[in-house]
Amino acid sequence: NFGRAAINAITIAPKLYLISEFDDYFNSLNPSLNTRNPWFREYWEETYKCKFEESPKTFFNQNYTRICSDTDNTHTNLSVPYSQEGYVHYVVDAVFALAISVQKLIDEKCVNSLKTGALCKEFFPFDGAKLVSILRSTTFRNELSKRYIKFTSIGDGIGTYDIFQYQITNSTDTQDYFTIGEFSDNDHTNER
């Protein structure tokens, strides 16, 4: 048994933070109302093994004969267990960091942008180097991920990690990973 050879092995993985608001959002989606995401119908077809009448035939849906509906996720025989991908919070944090940085750049270049709601001519040509500089100095607390976000001088995010050990869990010889510690290369201000 190869698992026994790994007993007491120590591993490290990025710390994961689930965002309950994302679960609420995602579980409320349906194909008729979610028209801004071009991949959602494809996801729906693949998840519920069906095809929308107006969907083009693809490699993924070519064998589905059942017609999709907005209520596929409510049928017990079709229900698919949902769990949030553990790295969603990194995407959310990145989008917020970029949005905050772009807004700071707009505020710096276009003094009256809040009044007019438009970008000024001084914003162009776009200054990518200035945006990177602003991004690297941006710090904020993301209330969705419950993390304090900041960057190193070279642009790396502050790493937080869980430390696991592979152990035998009980007398039935079951093996699993257990969290035995954590590491953060900051002052712990990003902890919940």
Side-chain angles (χ1 to χ4, degrees):
N1 181 338
F2 292 114
R4 293 197 62 74
I7 297 298
N8 294 324
I10 294 177
T11 61
I12 187 168
K15 197 170 210 33
L16 305 180
Y17 300 92
L18 296 180
I19 299 176
S20 62
E21 292 86 349
F22 179 82
D23 292 337
D24 297 340
Y25 162 76
F26 191 82
N27 287 320
S28 72
L29 294 176
N30 72 53
S32 294
L33 300 176
N34 187 26
T35 56
R36 68 183 181 142
N37 183 336
W39 299 280
F40 190 72
R41 283 181 163 249
E42 186 176 310
Y43 159 81
W44 195 272
E45 287 179 336
E46 179 62 23
T47 300
Y48 298 107
K49 310 296 184 227
C50 59
K51 184 180 178 306
F52 289 99
E53 290 180 287
E54 63 279 5
S55 291
K57 186 176 182 179
T58 68
F59 174 79
F60 300 102
N61 70 13
Q62 65 185 346
N63 296 321
Y64 302 150
T65 55
R66 191 173 68 74
I67 301 299
C68 295
S69 81
D70 281 351
T71 59
D72 287 334
N73 62 341
T74 63
H75 296 297
T76 317
N77 60 335
L78 299 175
S79 71
V80 175
Y82 162 79
S83 64
Q84 185 178 134
E85 166 62 47
Y87 297 100
V88 164
H89 72 91
Y90 287 112
V91 175
V92 171
D93 293 343
V95 168
F96 271 101
L98 188 57
I100 289 167
S101 299
V102 167
Q103 186 61 58
K104 285 181 179 180
L105 182 60
I106 292 169
D107 294 345
E108 184 178 303
K109 298 258 187 179
C110 305
V111 179
N112 294 319
S113 68
L114 288 177
K115 290 182 207 170
T116 65
L119 291 177
C120 63
K121 63 181 181 175
E122 291 80 15
F123 188 76
F124 301 100
F126 179 76
D127 188 349
K130 181 66 176 171
L131 179 61
V132 168
S133 174
I134 291 171
L135 179 62
R136 287 182 178 169
S137 66
T138 295
T139 60
F140 65 98
R141 178 170 168 80
N142 185 339
E143 292 304 320
L144 290 175
S145 68
K146 309 291 189 258
R147 297 183 60 212
Y148 183 71
I149 308 302
K150 60 183 177 180
F151 300 92
T152 67
S153 60
I154 60 170
D156 292 336
I158 301 299
T160 56
Y161 303 91
D162 280 322
I163 303 168
F164 301 97
Q165 184 179 39
Y166 196 64
Q167 301 175 1
I168 297 176
T169 60
N170 57 35
S171 59
T172 62
D173 219 21
T174 304
Q175 302 153 18
D176 204 354
Y177 285 96
F178 285 88
T179 304
I180 60 169
E182 60 183 41
F183 170 80
S184 178
D185 57 357
N186 72 6
D187 59 5
H188 299 285
T189 55
N190 70 334
E191 301 303 318
R192 292 178 182 244

